[in-house]
Amino acid sequence: MITKTLIVLSVLVLTLAAFFYVSPYPGVWVIRYSFNKMAVETNEKLEAFVPAHINSKLDISYDDNDSDALLDVYYPADVSNDQLPVIVWTHGGGLISGKKSDLANYCKILASKGYTVVSIDYTIAPEAKYPTPIRQLNKALKFISANPGKFKADVSKIILAGDSGGSMIAASAAAVITNKRYSEATKVKPGIHARQLKGLLLYCGIYDVNDLNMEGDFGKFLRTVMWAYFGEKDITNDAYAKTAAVIDYVDSNFPPVFISAGNKDPLLEQSLQFSNALKSNNVRVDTLFFTDEQLNLGHEYQFTMDAYGELALEKSLLFLESITK
C-alpha cells in the first residue's frame, strides 16, 4: 500500500513538473495570486490619503466587442471646469495580473489635484498575447477622445501613465501614436493624434525586452512573464516579438516623459537606459532616481505614501503642470 501511494505521488509530482515545463500557466497562477493580494493591500493603505469630493464613474465599456475593455473615471466634484487634462493610467501586474480597481485610490489622489483620471482594464497574459494590451489602450484613447463630455475631459491634453507592466504598455502606445514606423512594425493603429498626447508618467517599467537580466529569482519571474506575454519561451529569433523593445523606436517626436524607479528595483536599469535613449533623441525627460545606497526603495515604491512616495507624487504633479499649461 505504501509503495502504491509513493508511486501515485511520484506520478503527480512528475506531471506537475511537466506542466510547468510545457505551459506558463502554473507559474502565472502562483505569481498572479501573490501580486493580486499585494495590489489589494496597497490600494487599501492608500485609502487614508484619499480626499473627499471625488466623483467616480465605473465600468464604462470602451469597446463593445471586448468584455475586458472597461475603464473607470475619477474627477474632482468641486471643480467648475468641465475640461480637465486627462491622465490615462494603465495598471501594472507584470502583464499577467492586476485590474483597474487596484489603482482606484491612487487615481482619486491624482484626480483631487485637478485632473480627470482614467484607469483602464486590458486583457492580461497568457489569456492574450502581445500586442493586445497596446491595441486596447489605443482603443480606450479613441473612445475617450470621441466622448469628452462623459469624462469632464480636455482631450487636447492627454497624458499616458503606467506602472511596471502598465508603464511598458503606455510607452509602447506613445510610440505607436508618435512614430509611424513603430505603428507599422507592431500593426497597432493610433487611437489619438500625436498633438493630443502631451506627455507620460512612467514608473518602474520594462522598455527593452532584449536586455533583461534573467539571473536569480527575479529572472525566473521575468522568464514566466515573457513566455506568457509572447507565447514562447525564447523570442531571440522572433522579429515581431522584439518590436516590444520600445527603446529601439524612440525618436524626437516622442512626448515629454517623467520617469522613475526605486534604487533597489530590479528593473531600475531599464528606466535608466530608457531615460538616456530619450535624452539622446532630444526628448524632454524629468527623472527621479535615488543615489543613496542606504535607501531601500523597491519596485512600485511610489504607491507607498511615505516621504519618497510623496516626493514622487510631488515631482509628477510639477511635471504634469508644466506640460498642460
Side-chain angles (χ1 to χ4, degrees):
M1 184 66 182
I2 294 176
T3 301
K4 185 177 180 180
T5 301
L6 289 173
I7 292 173
V8 171
L9 288 173
S10 297
V11 171
L12 288 173
V13 170
L14 290 172
T15 301
L16 183 60
F19 194 17
F20 269 90
Y21 183 77
V22 301
S23 170
Y25 267 105
V28 166
W29 290 330
V30 172
I31 295 167
R32 191 176 287 176
Y33 174 80
S34 176
F35 275 27
N36 286 345
K37 183 178 179 182
M38 287 190 293
V40 170
E41 292 173 352
T42 298
N43 188 52
E44 288 176 349
K45 289 178 181 178
L46 286 172
E47 190 169 0
F49 300 91
V50 175
H53 310 301
I54 302 296
N55 284 345
S56 304
K57 294 183 178 180
L58 307 181
D59 293 327
I60 299 172
S61 173
Y62 62 84
D63 182 353
D64 291 338
N65 298 314
D66 182 352
S67 61
D68 291 332
L70 299 173
L71 56 81
D72 295 339
V73 184
Y74 307 93
Y75 56 88
D78 53 358
V79 172
S80 58
N81 187 359
D82 285 334
Q83 290 193 320
L84 300 173
V86 187
I87 302 170
V88 182
W89 198 295
T90 306
H91 70 77
L95 304 169
I96 60 174
S97 71
K99 54 188 181 297
K100 58 183 171 52
S101 59
D102 295 337
L103 289 168
N105 287 326
Y106 197 78
C107 288
K108 290 175 184 178
I109 293 169
L110 279 177
S112 73
K113 307 301 181 180
Y115 297 90
T116 286
V117 183
V118 180
S119 179
I120 74 157
D121 264 343
Y122 55 92
T123 310
I124 53 178
E127 286 80 354
K129 306 294 190 295
Y130 171 80
T132 299
I134 304 168
R135 236 177 234 124
Q136 289 170 308
L137 175 52
N138 274 283
K139 288 182 179 180
L141 291 170
K142 182 178 181 180
F143 177 79
I144 294 164
S145 183
N147 296 278
K150 289 180 180 285
F151 307 104
K152 256 196 173 183
D154 180 351
V155 295
S156 70
K157 297 178 179 179
I158 294 176
I159 302 98
L160 295 181
D163 59 287
S164 193
S167 183
M168 177 181 177
I169 295 165
S172 293
V176 164
I177 292 163
T178 59
N179 185 335
K180 183 179 179 181
R181 182 171 68 95
Y182 191 59
S183 176
E184 292 174 345
T186 57
K187 303 181 179 66
V188 179
K189 294 181 180 179
I192 56 174
H193 195 280
R195 65 174 173 269
Q196 294 175 264
L197 182 57
K198 297 305 180 185
L200 291 91
L201 297 177
L202 301 178
Y203 280 98
C204 54
I206 292 174
Y207 312 102
D208 187 357
V209 296
N210 301 316
D211 189 25
L212 288 169
N213 184 353
M214 295 296 189
E215 297 179 0
D217 290 338
F218 196 75
K220 293 177 183 177
F221 158 75
L222 288 176
R223 281 192 289 272
T224 298
V225 168
M226 293 297 104
W227 187 7
Y229 191 47
F230 295 108
E232 53 186 304
K233 289 183 177 180
D234 185 358
I235 64 169
T236 303
N237 298 313
D238 188 331
Y240 183 67
K242 293 176 77 170
T243 62
V246 67
I247 195 171
D248 294 334
Y249 294 87
V250 169
D251 64 16
S252 59
N253 294 316
F254 204 85
V257 173
F258 173 86
I259 188 167
S260 183
N263 68 312
K264 296 299 174 66
D265 187 339
L267 291 175
L268 170 61
E269 190 61 29
Q270 289 275 318
S271 291
L272 292 171
Q273 290 179 5
F274 193 53
S275 64
N276 288 336
L278 292 167
K279 290 174 183 176
S280 68
N281 281 277
N282 297 313
V283 176
R284 174 187 165 182
V285 187
D286 289 13
T287 64
L288 179 58
F289 298 122
F290 304 89
T291 57
D292 185 351
E293 286 299 318
Q294 301 303 312
L295 295 178
N296 188 28
L297 303 179
H299 194 63
E300 303 277 44
Y301 83 94
Q302 75 279 358
F303 291 143
T304 303
M305 279 299 163
D306 58 11
Y308 301 100
E310 289 183 354
L311 176 63
L313 178 60
E314 177 187 343
K315 295 290 187 182
S316 295
L317 292 170
L318 288 171
F319 171 77
L320 289 170
E321 183 181 1
S322 72
I323 63 173
T324 57
K325 289 179 180 177

